[in-house]
Amino acid sequence: MTGSAPQLDAVAIEIVKASLDGIVQEMQNSLFRTGFSTIVRESQDASCAIMNPVGDVVAQHVVLPLHIGSFPACCRAVLRAYDDIAEGDAYIINHPYEGGSPHAPDMAVITPVFSGTELVAFCASIAHKSDIGGPVPGSCSGQAKEVFNEGLQLPALRYQRGETRDFGIERIIAANSRTPELVLGDIRGQVGASRLGEQRVLELMGKFGKDNTIASFARLMDLSERKMRAAIAEWGDGRFEAERFVDDDGVELNKPVRIHVVVEKKGDAIHLDFTGSADQTKGPANVRPPLVQAAIGYCLISLVDPHIFINSGVMRAFTFTAREGSVVNPRFPAPVNTYNPTVHALVEAVFAALVNILPERARADGCASRSIILGGRSTSAGKSYVQYEILGGGGGARAGKDGVSGTSVNQSNAKIASIEIIESEFPTRILKFELIPDSGGAGAYRGGLGMRREYLNLQDARFSIRSAKHVIAPHGANGAGDGRTGDILINPGSPEEKRLPTRYADYPLKAGDIFRLDTPGGGGFGASRDRDPERVLADVKEGYVSRHAARDVYAVVLKEQDGVVTLDRAATEELRGEIPPRPKA
């Protein structure tokens, strides 16, 4: 900023902030509407951002919270690799160690924004690719033992020069993918979204002036940091610790992976130490530090203000330690592709530690996240396909609210692809898609229900799953019950029934096979016998809770006459030992 440039007042800063948010939303709308793959177009496993010339995130309209840690790491890899960045360039990177991609299928596209000859910003997106090679369709092997088992690894590469694509890079990517048209189509869509962002950023500078707009980038980051620190300063000081476990790493089965955190808070400073977490795993449960940082940021944003303006200023409000050689800071080339269950455990451990400071924000654990991947060669289309779906389950309950059913939780925010899309694009049929009764943890506030999705496979295919909480249940809070664990069955109820582990790669499905995924329910909050009997009655009527569980778990007696189920209040009070029912929330 030049010394003679006028300062923007508070009103103008707010207008710039709203404009940046709108630009990123417009970029994302463009990306989702031009997506070739169902992962981008339907599940929306992608996000966009604007960064300053050194790679700090200036604005990110959050779809996937972890990307706020990935964007700077990827952008700085570009800055390290190239000292001749020019207008019209576009760069790609998906390397989890060279950059900050959560795993190799998450490819970043980064383009510079120039005002005259001055680099003033970057526009970027990160989007999951349907397949970038490796031993299994979808490139996400639950048994990978190094990143080289996880598909094509690209360091920072110049993909466009003067807006002319490097067809050599495209040929390499296409040669390493089972779905080259989808992958290249999505990459080109990412470039298009960035070009739109570039145009809008320059229009913003035309309105407020280049120097003022650049100065506002720093000002907005300062404001986000100050707001976060001011909130932290109001919390009580202390040292608190908590832990959570991941079922296994996919290679060493029956060996839970520990995530341990010590939170030390003093004044407006807060530090999180993950030194006590497990050593890096043989299987792909490892997480790189940019994601650890982003996960902590997600937790603090959730506790302070979900509507805070998201930028790198939030990340400056805390510090953390991730021991080298641990599951949260692995050494190259440790595998990382099934990182999400570990991040969920990290998030839940951080929340569990911070509840000692903010007991009114206590929450139960949720279902974590999972994906199923089918791949093969379509007999009708005559080419390879990869069916990749992201699925949630039940959210954890909290004080005053039941958990949400059939949803994404924590840092996962992808949508469930519709039945119509899946059946029209892939050789499968969905036989069931329903909530699972009694799967939410019992409590004064009930955990959200998990869901069942059952498929009929129409032709031979290779099947992989990356899931969580099939062994270790989502914890309830304040004396509540845990959520039900998940499950994956091949040909359920038949003599050929087979249960797969939480993570499994490359199971050979035959035409006519049925597979069923049950996702976990969320943990409950508070003692189940404190739940308002009227709410239990409503749950039974909705099919969320069985009549058996109403009596045996919630101590609520129901009666039925002429097909109408009603509450037997006197019998309920007697069963509950004359404890008066909890008032309605």
Side-chain angles (χ1 to χ4, degrees), residues 94-97 101-107 128-154 176 178 249 251 281-288 330 332-339 466 503 505:
N94 75 337
H95 202 297
Y97 288 86
S101 295
H103 57 176
D106 288 333
M107 190 170 292
H128 189 108
K129 299 293 169 283
S130 55
D131 186 276
I132 54 165
V136 300
S139 311
C140 290
S141 170
Q143 278 79 56
K145 294 183 179 180
E146 56 183 4
V147 292
F148 304 112
N149 300 139
E150 299 177 345
L152 181 67
Q153 313 280 319
L154 298 175
N176 282 275
R178 297 171 178 86
D249 70 349
V251 172
T281 60
K282 294 181 180 179
N286 300 295
V287 174
R288 297 279 295 131
F332 179 82
V336 297
N337 81 70
T338 315
Y339 67 91
R466 304 181 306 146
R503 309 172 204 231

Side-chain angles (χ1 to χ4, degrees), residues 90 92 152 154 157-176 180 184-185 187-188 191:
I92 60 174
L152 181 67
L154 298 175
L157 295 174
R158 183 182 282 125
Y159 174 64
Q160 285 191 358
R161 185 64 157 174
E163 302 194 11
T164 299
R165 296 197 304 272
D166 187 324
F167 294 103
I169 291 176
E170 287 198 341
R171 290 179 66 194
I172 291 172
I173 293 172
N176 282 275
L184 293 179
I187 292 174
R188 293 165 187 166
V191 174

Side-chain angles (χ1 to χ4, degrees), residues 533 551 555-559 566-579 581:
R551 181 181 182 90
V556 171
V557 181
L558 304 177
K559 55 187 178 181
T566 58
L567 173 66
D568 189 331
R569 187 170 294 277
T572 296
E573 291 179 358
E574 181 180 358
L575 183 61
R576 288 188 169 190
E578 303 300 329
I579 299 175

Side-chain angles (χ1 to χ4, degrees), residues 16 26-27 49 65 72 81 124 139 145 158 161 178 190 210 243 275 360 437-438 562-563:
V16 171
E26 190 175 3
M27 291 170 64
S139 311
K145 294 183 179 180
R158 183 182 282 125
R161 185 64 157 174
R178 297 171 178 86
Q190 288 181 258
K210 179 187 69 176
E243 64 184 14
T275 300
E360 70 278 7
D438 296 332
D562 298 328

Side-chain angles (χ1 to χ4, degrees), residues 22 99 128 154 169 193 208 268 270 354 383 407 449 471 535 550 583:
H128 189 108
L154 298 175
I169 291 176
F208 289 100
D268 69 349
I270 188 166
L354 291 176
K383 59 182 180 180
T407 189
L449 273 59
V471 178
R535 300 187 74 167

Side-chain angles (χ1 to χ4, degrees), residues 165-485:
R165 296 197 304 272
D166 187 324
F167 294 103
I169 291 176
E170 287 198 341
R171 290 179 66 194
I172 291 172
I173 293 172
N176 282 275
S177 175
R178 297 171 178 86
T179 57
E181 299 91 347
L182 301 185
V183 171
L184 293 179
D186 283 345
I187 292 174
R188 293 165 187 166
Q190 288 181 258
V191 174
S194 275
R195 299 299 182 210
L196 176 61
E198 293 170 32
Q199 179 183 343
R200 295 292 186 260
V201 169
L202 292 175
E203 289 171 356
L204 183 65
M205 290 184 173
K207 181 176 181 179
F208 289 100
K210 179 187 69 176
D211 292 338
N212 277 332
T213 304
I214 293 173
S216 73
F217 292 172
R219 175 65 175 160
L220 288 169
M221 284 189 280
D222 287 343
L223 289 172
S224 292
E225 179 183 2
R226 290 177 187 177
K227 182 171 185 177
M228 187 65 70
R229 287 190 179 276
I232 292 171
E234 295 179 358
W235 300 351
D237 291 348
R239 181 184 186 277
F240 312 98
E241 60 183 291
E243 64 184 14
R244 289 293 187 270
F245 291 85
V246 181
D247 287 354
D248 57 63
D249 70 349
V251 172
E252 294 185 299
L253 303 182
N254 303 316
K255 181 182 177 181
V257 180
R258 183 190 194 213
I259 303 296
H260 180 270
V261 63
V262 175
V263 176
E264 295 190 71
K265 187 269 172 185
K266 185 176 182 180
D268 69 349
I270 188 166
H271 180 78
L272 299 94
D273 187 349
F274 296 91
T275 300
S277 297
D279 291 341
Q280 68 184 53
T281 60
K282 294 181 180 179
N286 300 295
V287 174
R288 297 279 295 131
L291 272 66
V292 176
Q293 182 191 43
I296 297 168
Y298 161 77
C299 293
L300 295 179
I301 290 167
S302 300
L303 293 171
V304 171
D305 180 6
H307 302 292
I308 193 172
F309 191 63
I310 305 298
N311 56 41
S312 289
V314 172
M315 304 295 110
R316 301 198 302 240
F318 62 88
T319 56
F320 72 97
T321 300
R323 173 174 57 87
E324 186 178 0
S326 71
V327 67
V328 292
N329 188 6
R331 297 185 181 94
F332 179 82
V336 297
N337 81 70
T338 315
Y339 67 91
N340 235 329
T342 306
V343 177
H344 279 283
L346 187 153
V347 164
E348 289 166 351
V350 171
F351 277 133
L354 291 176
V355 75
N356 294 285
I357 304 175
L358 300 167
E360 70 278 7
R361 301 291 179 86
R363 58 192 285 282
D365 293 351
C367 63
S369 62
R370 60 218 28 87
S371 58
I372 58 170
I373 310 165
L374 286 88
R377 191 162 187 84
S378 174
T379 54
S380 58
K383 59 182 180 180
S384 297
Y385 72 93
V386 174
Q387 176 184 337
Y388 190 109
E389 294 184 58
I390 302 170
L391 300 157
R398 49 195 163 133
K401 287 191 176 182
D402 292 342
V404 179
S405 298
T407 189
S408 298
V409 299
N410 295 335
Q411 78 285 347
S412 300
N413 204 27
K415 295 183 177 180
I416 300 171
S418 71
I419 293 173
E420 292 81 4
I421 291 295
I422 294 300
E423 292 190 343
S424 65
E425 297 192 16
F426 304 109
T428 55
R429 294 292 179 266
I430 297 177
L431 306 179
K432 293 180 181 179
F433 185 31
E434 59 194 17
L435 297 176
I436 304 172
D438 296 332
S439 58
Y445 297 97
R446 174 184 43 74
L449 273 59
M451 58 191 185
R452 173 169 294 167
R453 198 148 154 119
E454 188 171 284
Y455 301 75
L456 171 63
N457 189 53
L458 298 182
Q459 66 173 63
D460 291 355
R462 300 162 65 188
F463 175 77
S464 297
I465 182 168
R466 304 181 306 146
S467 191
K469 299 183 186 285
H470 289 201
V471 178
I472 301 170
H475 294 301
N478 286 25
D482 294 343
R484 174 177 160 175
T485 54

